[in-house]
Amino acid sequence: MRRASKRALFVQSSKLFGMAAYSLSLVLCIILKAATFGPVPRIVWEQEEIPLTRFNVEGVFNYSSLLLSENEDILYVGAREVIFAVKSTNIAEKTREAYWKVTDEKSEGCARKGKSKQTECFNFIRVLQPLSEDTLYVCGTYAFQPTCDHLDLNSFQLLGKHEDGKGRCPFDPAHSYTSVMVDGELYSATSNNFLGSEPIIFRHSQQSQLRTEYAVPWLNEPNFVFADVIRAPQNNPDGDDDKIYFFFTEVSVEFDFLSKLLIPRVARVCKGDQGGQRTLQKKWTSFLKAKLICHSPENNFFFNVINDVFILKSPDLKEPVIYGVFTSHLNNVGLSAVCTYNVSAVENVFATGKYMQSATVEQSHTKWVRYNGEVPKPRPGACINNEVRALNYTGSLNLPDKTLQFVKDHPLIEDSVYPIGQKPKLMIRNVAFTQIVVDRVTALDGVTYDVMFLSTDQGKLHKAVNHDSEMRIIEEIVLFPNMEPVQTLVLTTKQRKRYIYAGSSTGVVQSPVAFCDQFTSCVECIMTRDPYCAWNSLQSSCVNIVDEKSSGRPLIQALNGDISRCPDSVAQGTEKTMVYTLKPGSMVELNCIHKSELASLVWTFNNKELSDNNPRYRLLHKGILLFNVSEVDTGTYQCLFQENVMGNMISWLIISYIVELERIPPPLLSTTRWSLTEGNLAPTQVYTEVTHRTTTRMPSTTPFKTSAAPIKNVTSKLLTTLSTATLTELIDALQEFGVEKTSFLKSTSDCSLFIFPIIILLVLFLLLLTYNCYKGFLPGPCLKFRSAMFSGKKVPPSFADCEQGVNEILVKNPNLHTEPTTAPRDTDDVTKPDYGNGNLHHKEDLEKVDMIEKDKPFDVKCELKYADSDGD
Ligand SMILES: *[C@@H]1O[C@H](CO)[C@@H](O)[C@H](O)[C@H]1NC(C)=O
Ligand SMILES: *[C@@H]1O[C@H](CO)[C@@H](O)[C@H](O)[C@H]1NC(C)=O
Ligand SMILES: *[C@@H]1O[C@H](CO)[C@@H](O)[C@H](O)[C@H]1NC(C)=O
């Protein structure tokens, strides 16, 4: 009796709070929908699906420096205590190696200074730059004693120079660093002391060394990410100098903030700088810095941390374009963005912007404000160009002290560098971009596309392209399956075949820039809308147009997704037809596998579209599940793929299934028994036998693995069954409250995965709450509720009342619990799942049960209980 009432209450409470669960799920759905932000990668390539080449050597870690020599087809890899040379066309092929280990004595000394012998006191290679035709300049942390050397490429041996590497390489492997070799001089930005407290931007050459002033206005706790040279145009009328740009995030001096406010910066120095004669001796006379703005005006997101930069230089570009990847420590944590800048915009800020200066307010506190006074001539921080030369200043050494003193005190420009288009090119949530490289590819329509490759802190690579002002992520590539951050990205540009190389703590990965050959049909090839890929209708293959440069081939490319350009035979002939011969009453899942995360499936049954879910079937993300197959379910099921391309819905057929029934009834059919244990509905036994045969019109050329999975005793399928059944159960309960089943399914279809466990937990919690309330364990409002509930009734309704009603039905309908088909049944099996199973006769019976129940005082779903009571 007690158990019975408890169960009655479970059913009751699940109905009472069905509405609550429904509302909660809607709210959660809205939150989750709002959370999806920015473009979604259309295709996700898992590592086993695509040909990636890997390089790592046992016992070697921290593959943090990559240097590509495209003339020699060699990739140099700087790891911990070793430098490798591998073939750039196949990095798995190692050609040379040079170990550079710290001595035991140095390692001991490092440990004595409190550093870890296991993780830090090694020689982490941080600088790997070409010095001459046959020499590399190499620096390593060398157990907290940065050291540089020359690597002879003929012998692949270090020359044992053992130069002091201070200013070029950090002491601590955890500290930031960047460097660039320009005309035999190394420009580096890193920390200059053991503690990492002294930041420096440094130039090293045999003749001279130049550095930043060690002062807060120059560099304030910077995190350096990138450096590169921007050459002045040849024979430029201004006689301008080449410039080296540095990108970093630092603590701002110009904003008063409660905590340290980080800010992204660009700084530049001139190649011809020689330092000052008296003021700024051996220091930069041309160091200026400004803030980079990466801000989305629409939602007021500020991106204040710059993670990496790539400067796209191409002869066909009017000027180089700076690509920066940003994240945020402000209001929008979890978002990443890409902002692009014109180099001319940066130069303009340095050439004409207002300087900032510090003013002392209230004794010790300093505040940075715009400098409005007179600016000395020549302009402080400017490179030596024809205008300065006309004033008889031929180099930085003879610049006037006034100019030098001014730039020493005012290295910060007030004006900001704004991005092209005044907003990010790309914003995305829940992804932290770590590195960026950009490739240019001219598609068959003659338009040149800039393709961004963005690596993440989870070992992935996103490939994004802007097409008709719509930013798309064509694909996501899983580079490192163990989700480690990608630390370095390098792109080939001159090689015939283009590759991306990515370095991480555990190894290096080589990836092609496109995976065109993964698409085996014209439609798939076109729909990927990848500027690298085109369909070769002669060879019937999807090819990379960059890799195979030869004209006159019949190539089809339509970046607008116009699949009508595909030859008819190919477009129509790729779909498969499979024939399924099933036993009556069995359940089957018809799969429709597609790679696109943006596509939706449309199912037709005998040429009529199947909309929404039905007790007889359930539409899945990549298939359809048919329950209790009977004669009415036989026929042709077709799966169509639909994807929105720039406002046009493009659809095509992927696979057809012909479902037919087996003529002779087999001895054992689908029998599912449900038992209610601890408030959870679980099948105790699912036993279905299905036979199927497949006919394929175009064998082995289907776009992707297309398969149908007949349900056997497979756990995963049981789970599908369970979730379907229990969800249907819940929806039935909700329906009694007038909640539209279809709307519920629609709204949950996207988020049901998230909602389902929440609903289960909620129901369990409510069960507990209600039971305790019913038992009077909970005080106050609960007791009121309890008395209100039962005040109208002398006797609390019990399971027995309900059971009685059911018994009546059982007498009236002796067929109710027997299998309606002619098949013999297992005697033990007296129950069936009470949700729709496609059997009309059976359903009518259940409706009768429902009708009678509704007259019952407690209005409980008895069929649920008797189904369960059988298990006692
Ligand atoms: C070096 O690699 C090891 C192994 O993956 C990793 O645990 C460690 O953090 C790396 N160290 C640095 C400084 O990157
Ligand atoms: C620069 O020097 C030259 C020769 O010494 C002199 O004739 C000229 O007047 C000077 N120009 C300026 C602007 O000082
Ligand atoms: C960048 O340059 C392009 C063309 O060179 C120009 O159209 C655009 O307005 C510039 N943007 C900024 C922010 O300077």
Side-chain angles (χ1 to χ4, degrees):
M1 175 66 200
R2 183 177 284 185
R3 253 193 96 189
S5 350
K6 179 174 157 188
R7 275 208 216 90
L9 272 159
F10 162 63
V11 177
Q12 175 74 358
S13 61
S14 74
K15 283 168 79 185
L16 273 174
F17 295 101
M19 276 302 281
Y22 171 71
S23 323
L24 183 73
S25 65
L26 273 189
V27 169
L28 279 168
C29 259
I30 289 161
I31 293 169
L32 289 168
K33 285 240 172 75
T36 53
F37 181 87
V40 173
R42 183 176 177 270
I43 291 179
V44 175
W45 297 111
E46 297 297 336
Q47 54 151 358
E48 64 275 3
E49 292 177 299
I50 43 169
L52 299 179
T53 314
R54 285 166 200 284
F55 170 73
N56 66 302
V57 171
E58 180 129 14
V60 176
F61 301 99
N62 313 98
Y63 299 76
S64 46
S65 311
L66 300 179
L67 173 68
L68 183 66
S69 167
E70 291 198 75
N71 299 334
E72 307 163 287
D73 280 348
I74 291 177
L75 180 73
Y76 297 101
V77 180
R80 198 171 82 183
E81 315 232 284
V82 59
I83 302 134
F84 299 106
V86 299
K87 275 197 146 171
S88 63
T89 47
N90 174 16
I91 62 163
E93 222 173 287
K94 181 179 76 185
T95 54
R96 313 292 275 280
E97 63 186 19
Y99 280 87
W100 187 14
K101 299 194 177 188
V102 293
T103 58
D104 284 348
E105 184 194 335
K106 282 272 190 290
S107 177
E108 296 292 340
C110 168
R112 270 199 302 278
K113 288 183 216 159
K115 298 297 172 182
S116 161
K117 242 180 123 171
Q118 280 73 44
T119 62
E120 296 175 296
C121 294
F122 293 107
N123 188 19
F124 294 85
I125 306 297
R126 290 297 187 240
V127 175
L128 200 57
Q129 297 286 353
L131 191 60
S132 67
E133 198 98 307
D134 51 8
T135 326
L136 294 189
Y137 193 72
V138 196
C139 306
T141 59
Y142 209 77
F144 284 78
Q145 286 202 340
T147 306
C148 296
D149 207 337
H150 294 190
L151 179 72
D152 180 70
L153 293 180
N154 297 317
S155 63
F156 215 76
Q157 276 182 349
L158 291 161
L159 299 185
K161 292 206 176 248
H162 236 81
E163 284 176 19
D164 178 5
K166 263 178 81 177
R168 284 154 265 177
C169 178
F171 286 65
D172 189 329
H175 290 156
S176 70
Y177 58 93
T178 183
S179 64
V180 59
M181 187 69 83
V182 182
D183 304 331
E185 296 183 304
L186 185 81
Y187 292 78
S188 54
T190 187
S191 57
N192 197 32
N193 61 357
F194 183 84
L195 291 174
S197 55
E198 186 192 332
I200 186 169
I201 289 179
F202 188 67
R203 183 178 71 197
H204 167 84
S205 70
Q206 297 308 100
Q207 302 81 39
S208 71
Q209 296 189 338
L210 218 55
R211 54 162 295 170
T212 40
E213 179 88 5
Y214 177 34
V216 164
W218 284 55
L219 293 168
N220 193 18
E221 301 179 41
N223 188 57
F224 299 106
V225 298
F226 185 76
D228 201 1
V229 61
I230 301 217
R231 304 277 183 185
Q234 264 175 357
N235 315 318
N236 70 85
D238 309 332
D240 209 353
D241 200 0
D242 296 343
K243 295 164 183 116
I244 293 87
Y245 284 83
F246 294 88
F247 297 86
F248 52 96
T249 308
E250 70 171 352
V251 175
S252 81
V253 290
E254 67 265 46
F255 295 111
D256 268 329
F257 213 64
L258 292 177
S259 56
K260 289 177 175 179
L261 177 66
L262 297 178
I263 214 143
R265 295 262 196 235
V266 54
R268 74 105 173 84
V269 295
C270 308
K271 199 183 82 179
D273 198 344
Q274 297 296 320
Q277 189 68 263
R278 288 174 297 273
T279 313
L280 290 178
Q281 233 183 57
K282 293 195 186 298
K283 307 261 170 67
W284 299 109
T285 65
S286 57
F287 177 86
L288 289 177
K289 64 177 184 181
K291 112 174 133 275
L292 285 171
I293 301 284
C294 187
H295 169 237
S296 163
E298 286 136 52
N299 26 33
N300 209 23
F301 288 152
F302 277 97
F303 296 89
N304 68 326
V305 175
I306 188 163
N307 291 336
D308 191 32
V309 166
F310 182 86
I311 302 186
L312 183 66
K313 306 166 186 169
S314 169
D316 55 326
L317 273 175
K318 246 189 277 163
E319 55 171 303
V321 178
I322 298 166
Y323 281 76
V325 286
F326 295 81
T327 49
S328 177
H329 284 173
L330 297 173
N331 54 348
N332 44 319
V333 174
L335 285 182
S336 276
V338 176
C339 280
T340 55
Y341 306 87
N342 284 342
V343 162
S344 61
V346 184
E347 293 196 337
N348 218 22
V349 164
F350 289 136
T352 63
K354 294 271 185 208
Y355 298 88
M356 287 199 93
Q357 91 159 346
S358 67
T360 308
V361 286
E362 296 160 9
Q363 282 103 47
S364 62
H365 188 65
T366 59
K367 199 172 160 58
W368 283 76
V369 293
R370 176 194 294 176
Y371 175 80
N372 281 319
E374 202 184 319
V375 175
K377 277 206 160 182
R379 184 178 161 89
C383 297
I384 307 291
N385 57 16
N386 290 345
E387 198 187 320
V388 181
R389 283 186 201 105
L391 299 169
N392 276 352
Y393 302 110
T394 51
S396 67
L397 284 169
N398 55 24
L399 284 173
D401 277 334
K402 246 171 58 187
T403 291
L404 296 181
Q405 191 58 48
F406 188 91
V407 72
K408 185 178 173 205
D409 298 335
H410 305 86
L412 176 60
I413 303 288
E414 191 200 27
D415 301 41
S416 306
V417 182
Y418 285 91
I420 297 172
Q422 307 296 313
K423 62 175 189 185
K425 263 210 148 61
L426 169 69
M427 276 194 289
I428 188 163
R429 195 185 286 274
N430 294 332
V431 173
F433 290 138
T434 56
Q435 296 278 305
I436 181 172
V437 291
V438 183
D439 195 17
R440 269 170 89 71
V441 53
T442 302
L444 295 182
D445 59 8
V447 179
T448 301
Y449 295 90
D450 296 339
V451 185
M452 300 191 284
F453 295 89
L454 297 145
S455 65
T456 75
D457 64 345
Q458 304 280 304
K460 295 180 179 136
L461 187 70
H462 285 207
K463 175 169 146 191
V465 71
N466 194 337
H467 180 252
D468 264 6
S469 71
E470 170 206 23
M471 183 55 75
R472 294 186 294 124
I473 299 183
I474 296 172
E475 52 205 2
E476 174 185 298
I477 302 148
V478 178
L479 294 176
F480 296 99
N482 46 350
M483 315 237 286
E484 58 200 286
V486 177
Q487 293 169 350
T488 332
L489 268 194
V490 174
L491 172 77
T492 54
T493 48
K494 299 191 202 115
Q495 255 165 231
R496 211 165 44 81
K497 266 188 168 244
R498 290 192 200 173
Y499 294 105
I500 301 256
Y501 306 94
S504 80
S505 281
T506 61
V508 186
V509 173
Q510 171 189 3
S511 166
V513 290
F515 299 94
C516 309
D517 55 3
Q518 296 290 314
F519 306 105
T520 50
S521 78
C522 179
V523 170
E524 298 287 343
C525 185
I526 297 293
M527 281 303 287
T528 186
R529 297 170 63 208
D530 186 332
Y532 290 103
C533 297
W535 182 251
N536 183 328
S537 47
L538 265 194
Q539 292 170 8
S540 279
S541 61
C542 192
V543 296
N544 187 329
I545 59 168
V546 178
D547 287 354
E548 307 179 18
K549 269 266 157 63
S550 75
S551 51
R553 287 167 307 153
L555 290 181
I556 301 165
Q557 189 181 50
L559 294 178
N560 58 2
D562 180 8
I563 57 169
S564 67
R565 292 182 53 193
C566 284
D568 274 2
S569 57
V570 183
Q572 299 305 316
T574 44
E575 92 274 13
K576 252 171 47 165
T577 300
M578 295 181 92
V579 179
Y580 265 51
T581 307
L582 306 172
K583 295 178 178 173
S586 52
M587 176 153 52
V588 69
E589 186 179 334
L590 308 178
N591 284 346
C592 185
I593 309 289
H594 55 91
K595 261 320 261 186
S596 172
E597 302 293 321
L598 306 180
S600 53
L601 298 185
V602 173
W603 283 91
T604 64
F605 171 53
N606 293 338
N607 292 323
K608 267 172 65 191
E609 188 177 325
L610 295 180
S611 56
D612 290 320
N613 288 298
N614 187 294
R616 300 222 313 278
Y617 58 82
R618 176 151 165 75
L619 301 175
L620 308 171
H621 180 46
K622 292 189 176 178
I624 186 170
L625 192 63
L626 305 180
F627 305 114
N628 200 356
V629 176
S630 67
E631 197 59 49
V632 294
D633 301 311
T634 58
T636 307
Y637 292 83
Q638 291 193 312
C639 177
L640 291 153
F641 184 100
Q642 278 199 337
E643 192 169 327
N644 193 328
V645 175
M646 306 194 298
N648 302 321
M649 197 51 96
I650 294 183
S651 66
W652 75 92
L653 184 62
I654 299 184
I655 190 165
S656 301
Y657 288 98
I658 295 169
V659 171
E660 50 190 42
L661 282 190
E662 213 173 66
R663 288 299 135 206
I664 308 132
L668 187 63
L669 286 180
S670 153
T671 55
T672 312
R673 224 182 81 193
W674 300 92
S675 67
L676 194 65
T677 37
E678 311 293 282
N680 264 321
L681 199 59
T684 50
Q685 188 192 23
V686 171
Y687 191 82
T688 316
E689 274 181 60
V690 184
T691 56
H692 74 282
R693 69 195 143 86
T694 311
T695 53
T696 312
R697 256 184 250 155
M698 230 175 111
S700 76
T701 57
T702 36
F704 296 101
K705 275 176 266 146
T706 321
S707 67
I711 293 178
K712 296 242 167 95
N713 272 335
V714 185
T715 334
S716 64
K717 294 294 185 289
L718 277 178
L719 286 174
T720 319
T721 319
L722 172 64
S723 66
T724 313
T726 329
L727 197 64
T728 317
E729 214 77 62
L730 199 68
I731 293 157
D732 280 342
L734 294 176
Q735 224 172 3
E736 294 199 17
F737 281 86
V739 177
E740 270 281 299
K741 179 186 207 161
T742 50
S743 74
F744 180 85
L745 279 169
K746 260 195 196 125
S747 61
T748 49
S749 57
D750 290 350
C751 346
S752 53
L753 271 180
F754 300 93
I755 302 308
F756 184 64
I758 294 169
I759 289 175
I760 285 289
L761 282 177
L762 189 81
V763 166
L764 281 177
F765 171 72
L766 290 172
L767 168 68
L768 194 74
L769 192 76
T770 317
Y771 178 64
N772 281 302
C773 174
Y774 175 72
K775 297 290 289 172
F777 294 156
L778 297 174
C782 170
L783 284 176
K784 270 187 218 147
F785 171 74
R786 185 169 171 261
S787 54
M789 278 300 286
F790 304 131
S791 59
K793 293 156 194 142
K794 297 281 165 287
V795 187
S798 71
F799 180 63
D801 295 338
C802 189
E803 204 164 40
Q804 207 188 343
V806 173
N807 285 337
E808 281 169 33
I809 301 291
L810 287 177
V811 175
K812 277 187 204 156
N813 300 289
N815 277 345
L816 184 62
H817 290 296
T818 47
E819 191 68 35
T821 57
T822 52
R825 309 188 59 255
D826 200 351
T827 46
D828 185 42
D829 192 68
V830 289
T831 58
K832 279 187 63 71
D834 63 332
Y835 62 96
N837 48 21
N839 188 289
L840 288 174
H841 171 62
H842 189 88
K843 212 175 160 192
E844 269 167 29
D845 285 335
L846 285 178
E847 270 160 17
K848 272 188 208 151
V849 175
D850 268 344
M851 259 169 53
I852 289 162
E853 272 165 40
K854 278 182 186 132
D855 300 326
K856 291 279 149 202
F858 217 79
D859 189 24
V860 274
K861 276 201 129 185
C862 297
E863 75 272 33
L864 220 182
K865 284 183 284 126
Y866 69 69
D868 143 61
S869 65
D870 177 65
D872 289 29

